Amino acid sequence: GIRVTDTAIDLSVIAAVLSSNVDTGIDRDVCMTGEVGLSGEIRPVSRILQRIAEAEKLGFSTIVIPQANMQGLDTSKMKIRVVPVRKVEEALRELFG
């Protein structure tokens, strides 16, 4: 185990556990960020522009982010595809089809 203090990793952990459970991998060029509430809602995270820029710099082609973080965010000049989601189910559909 690892110790994590940033709640923005919640969605990634859930996706990794489900990926293992259904024995289906997540594409290597996809990353995600989001805090997950008890009812499955994806809550906004801080420093979203920095997170997207870092994902882009690391070579990811897609990033899944909370819908609430889209307010005021201009994705037209970004090279990375930004996928906004409101619930865990939406993110999982994006990841696993």
Side-chain angles (χ1 to χ4, degrees), residues 17-39:
V17 169
L18 184 65
S19 170
S20 175
N21 190 41
V22 298
D23 200 28
T24 303
I26 298 171
D27 289 336
R28 291 177 183 253
D29 62 344
V30 176
C31 67
M32 62 205 81
T33 186
E35 180 180 352
V36 178
L38 291 176
S39 64

Side-chain angles (χ1 to χ4, degrees), residues 27-80:
D27 289 336
R28 291 177 183 253
D29 62 344
V30 176
C31 67
M32 62 205 81
T33 186
E35 180 180 352
V36 178
L38 291 176
S39 64
E41 77 275 8
I42 310 293
R43 298 181 184 150
V45 296
S46 62
R47 301 183 317 271
I48 193 64
L49 282 174
Q50 292 169 329
R51 294 174 194 274
I52 293 170
E54 190 64 24
E56 197 171 37
K57 189 166 58 169
L58 290 170
F60 290 99
S61 66
T62 303
I63 184 168
V64 178
I65 68 168
Q67 174 70 42
N69 278 121
M70 289 298 291
Q71 186 174 351
L73 188 65
D74 181 17
T75 60
S76 63
K77 295 179 182 164
M78 295 180 183
K79 296 175 188 166
I80 193 168

